[in-house]
């Protein structure tokens, strides 16, 4: 997010610097303070007040899960470039279940900073496999339009199967981990029953929950 000094803002608006102070007090124009106490104005807000047409930065994002899907990725990128030839195109290889993808996080940071006004994807699962509505909410909050072309041909079915298997493996591992400690959990709960007189039915249900959670 770019900032300008009061002098620079006044030049853009064609007013005296003292007018900026009054507009700030009236809430017409927001200012921030630097660590040294100096005022700075957000350039996009100054241009908005001045009536300067806003430059819309468009970013197209394409993604596949593995390097073996390069053909799928190229088809995505070609489709995105055809639809938005003036846009910046970013591609990434990584699972849609992974929210720590570097380029994905970098795009979110740029949206928060106001650097991207339109984000374009071929299909919702190219952005994230789950949690799309949360990302959509974040885009709306920071005034970034999220455009989904909804081309299902660019959403590889094989990748969906891989993601589902990853989820099953994850929960199976957790379930196996709980089963390893099932006997210890059961012994501890039985001790509680003896010491504190806890309802046996409640104890048995707790053991069952531990086994299937």
């Amino acid at each position: 997010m770019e900032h300008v000094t009061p002098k620079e803002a006044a030049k853009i608006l064609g007013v005296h610097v003292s007018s900026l102070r009054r507009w700030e007090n009236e809430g017409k124009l927001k200012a921030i303070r630097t660590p040294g106490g100096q005022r700075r104005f957000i350039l996009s807000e100054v241009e908005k007040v001045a009536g300067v047409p806003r430059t819309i930065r468009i970013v197209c994002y394409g993604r596949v899960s593995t390097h073996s899907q390069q053909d799928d990725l190229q088809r995505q990128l070609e489709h995105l470039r055809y639809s938005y030839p003036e846009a910046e195109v970013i591609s990434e290889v990584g699972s849609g279940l992974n929210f720590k993808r570097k380029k994905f996080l970098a795009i979110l940071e740029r949206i928060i900073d106001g650097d991207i006004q339109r984000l374009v994807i071929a299909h919702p699962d190219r952005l994230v496999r789950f949690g799309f509505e949360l990302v959509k909410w974040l885009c709306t909050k920071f005034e970034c339009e999220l455009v989904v072309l909804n081309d299902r041909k660019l959403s590889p079915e094989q990748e969906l199967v891989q993601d589902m298997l990853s989820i099953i493996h994850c929960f199976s591992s957790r379930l196996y981990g709980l089963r390893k400690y099932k006997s210890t959990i059961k012994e501890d709960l039985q001790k509680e029953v003896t010491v504190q007189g806890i309802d046996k039915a409640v104890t048995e249900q707790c053991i069952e929950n531990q086994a299937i959670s």
Side-chain angles (χ1 to χ4, degrees):
M1 189 175 296
E2 191 175 352
H3 296 85
V4 293
T5 65
K7 185 176 180 180
E8 291 170 332
K11 184 177 180 180
I12 294 172
L13 294 165
V15 299
H16 194 273
V17 173
S18 61
S19 298
L20 299 180
R21 189 177 297 106
R22 186 179 73 256
W23 289 357
E24 181 187 355
N25 293 334
E26 294 173 351
K28 186 177 180 180
L29 196 61
K30 294 180 181 179
I32 65 167
R33 293 290 189 277
T34 67
Q38 300 296 316
R39 282 187 304 159
R40 293 293 183 269
F41 295 92
I42 299 172
L43 178 58
S44 59
E45 290 195 7
V46 173
E47 290 177 338
K48 184 177 180 180
V49 172
V52 177
R54 187 185 185 191
T55 301
I56 298 177
R57 186 183 297 275
I58 304 172
V59 171
C60 293
Y61 177 74
R63 179 195 65 80
V64 291
S65 288
T66 64
H67 289 283
S68 63
Q69 296 173 289
Q70 286 297 326
D71 290 343
D72 291 330
L73 181 59
Q74 290 307 313
R75 280 193 291 271
Q76 273 185 67
L77 300 182
E78 287 173 8
H79 187 60
L80 291 168
R81 288 192 181 101
Y82 177 80
S83 302
Y84 289 88
E86 75 283 12
E88 174 187 354
V89 178
I90 298 175
S91 64
E92 188 164 36
V93 177
S95 172
L97 298 173
N98 180 11
F99 278 80
K100 295 183 180 180
R101 282 170 278 138
K102 289 184 178 180
K103 293 182 180 180
F104 169 70
L105 291 177
I107 287 174
L108 294 185
E109 289 177 353
R110 288 175 62 184
I111 289 173
I112 292 171
D113 288 341
D115 187 45
I116 299 176
Q117 287 76 47
R118 183 176 297 157
L119 176 62
V120 185
I121 52 177
H123 196 268
D125 65 14
R126 297 304 84 205
L127 195 58
V128 287
R129 181 63 70 182
F130 300 109
F132 176 77
E133 290 300 321
L134 179 60
V135 178
K136 184 178 179 181
W137 170 85
L138 185 142
C139 289
T140 301
K141 182 175 177 62
F142 290 97
E143 300 181 351
C144 174
E145 180 186 4
L146 180 55
V147 178
V148 182
L149 301 181
N150 267 324
D151 192 334
R152 291 190 175 275
K153 292 182 295 184
L154 301 175
S155 178
E157 292 181 6
Q158 180 184 359
E159 188 175 300
L160 174 60
V161 174
Q162 291 174 342
D163 286 345
M164 294 303 295
L165 289 174
S166 296
I167 294 171
I168 292 171
H169 175 72
C170 175
F171 281 95
S172 296
S173 299
R174 292 183 180 182
L175 181 60
Y176 175 74
L178 287 172
R179 283 174 176 167
K180 285 175 60 179
Y181 298 104
K182 182 178 178 181
S183 59
T184 303
I185 294 169
K186 186 174 182 179
E187 290 174 5
D188 290 342
L189 287 171
Q190 287 174 340
K191 289 178 183 178
E192 292 293 330
V193 171
T194 303
V195 175
Q196 300 183 20
I198 298 176
D199 189 338
K200 185 177 180 181
V202 175
T203 303
E204 291 175 352
Q205 183 63 53
C206 183
I207 294 171
E208 290 179 10
N209 290 342
Q210 290 289 347
I212 64 173
S213 295

